[in-house]
Amino acid sequence: MLRIVVCVSGGGTNLQAIINGVRQGTITNTEIVGVISNNKNAYALERAKQAEIPAVCVSPRDYGDREQFNEAFLKTVEQMKPDLIVLAGFLVVIPSQLIRKYENRIINIHPSLIPSFCGTGYYGLKVHEGALVRGVKITGATVHFVDEGTDTGPIIMQKAVAVQEGDTPEVLQRRVMEEAEWIILPQSIDLIANGKVTVTDGKVHIS
Ligand code: GAR
């Protein structure tokens, strides 16, 4: 069984897609051993509670400086003994110590087709605002391994979504979630849990 820890900051719809996938058997060989939020008001914490998954809040606000927060975050993760860490709408920079220790064992969902609309400053609605300002006709979502850059790690899965006339950032965000994120994040976890994902020279191969 692949032990996964899911890190969240907000609504937790991607967490819900993972919970549903495990329950319904579209994600196999996987146990969600914990949920970590940096925001005590995140609805994602309520979703974890309803699914009877241990959930904790580790907020930078509760620590004197970044180093102390990083230490507490690292300790919380380690106590859960994960095989894979899933960033599902987690809007905090992951300490580089953790990234090095969990090389190719941390994945992130990003709401665009990387390398478009990604990197510093592109998160949540801002990604969709950027896509609409540029006038792209196709956007989508990407699941990738996390390295020390921002949205630069090896790409595991991508799915395209059409932009439609009259879209607002909110409408586009919802369509990208429904048609891409909630599909490719559970699929990527299932592939990893079944040993189908390898990384060679910074590129992912799926067998
Ligand atoms: C999702 O759209 C996710 O792709 C995005 O935050 C949202 C979280 O929604 N993540 C990023 O922008 C990361 N750079 P959720 O809490 O309902 O899953």
Side-chain angles (χ1 to χ4, degrees):
M1 284 284 237
L2 186 81
R3 295 171 58 86
I4 67 168
V5 164
V6 185
C7 299
V8 294
S9 297
T13 64
N14 280 287
L15 168 65
Q16 192 66 54
I18 300 167
I19 293 170
N20 296 348
V22 170
R23 269 196 198 135
Q24 292 158 11
T26 49
I27 303 176
T28 56
N29 257 331
T30 299
E31 183 189 358
I32 310 170
V33 294
V35 168
I36 303 174
S37 173
N38 63 305
N39 166 11
K40 68 175 176 2
N41 297 317
Y43 187 67
L45 286 173
E46 180 59 31
R47 294 180 192 271
K49 194 173 147 200
Q50 279 174 19
E52 295 175 353
I53 299 163
V56 288
C57 174
V58 187
S59 167
R61 288 167 193 222
D62 297 334
Y63 297 90
D65 59 28
R66 203 66 189 186
E67 212 167 295
Q68 286 173 20
F69 164 75
N70 284 350
E71 220 171 89
F73 183 74
L74 201 75
K75 203 169 150 200
T76 308
V77 170
E78 301 269 61
Q79 278 167 353
M80 294 176 173
K81 297 186 175 31
D83 300 311
L84 181 74
I85 300 165
V86 179
L87 309 183
F90 190 58
L91 303 181
V92 171
V93 176
I94 299 292
S96 34
Q97 198 188 338
L98 191 74
I99 295 175
R100 285 194 291 269
K101 187 156 183 192
Y102 285 80
E103 191 186 13
N104 295 334
R105 290 193 293 149
I106 308 176
I107 64 172
N108 179 50
I109 177 86
H110 183 77
S112 75
L113 294 174
I114 289 175
S116 290
F117 311 110
C118 64
T120 308
Y122 281 114
Y123 58 89
L125 265 189
K126 291 184 193 296
V127 177
H128 306 292
E129 283 164 9
L132 291 175
V133 165
R134 184 62 185 86
V136 294
K137 304 299 180 199
I138 300 284
T139 183
T142 303
V143 179
H144 63 93
F145 284 111
V146 173
D147 65 8
E148 290 191 61
T150 307
D151 303 327
T152 51
I155 291 171
I156 304 166
M157 289 190 86
Q158 293 188 298
K159 193 165 189 295
V161 174
V163 178
Q164 290 175 15
E165 205 59 44
D167 271 351
T168 62
E170 290 79 8
V171 167
L172 185 57
Q173 179 182 52
R174 182 76 192 180
R175 189 178 314 114
V176 168
M177 284 175 160
E178 284 176 359
E179 294 184 9
E181 296 186 43
W182 302 342
I183 299 165
I184 63 173
L185 185 57
Q187 277 178 352
S188 298
I189 295 169
D190 184 60
L191 288 169
I192 292 169
N194 289 287
K196 305 220 181 244
V197 176
T198 50
V199 185
T200 319
D201 296 332
K203 290 189 190 65
V204 167
H205 301 272
I206 294 175
S207 54

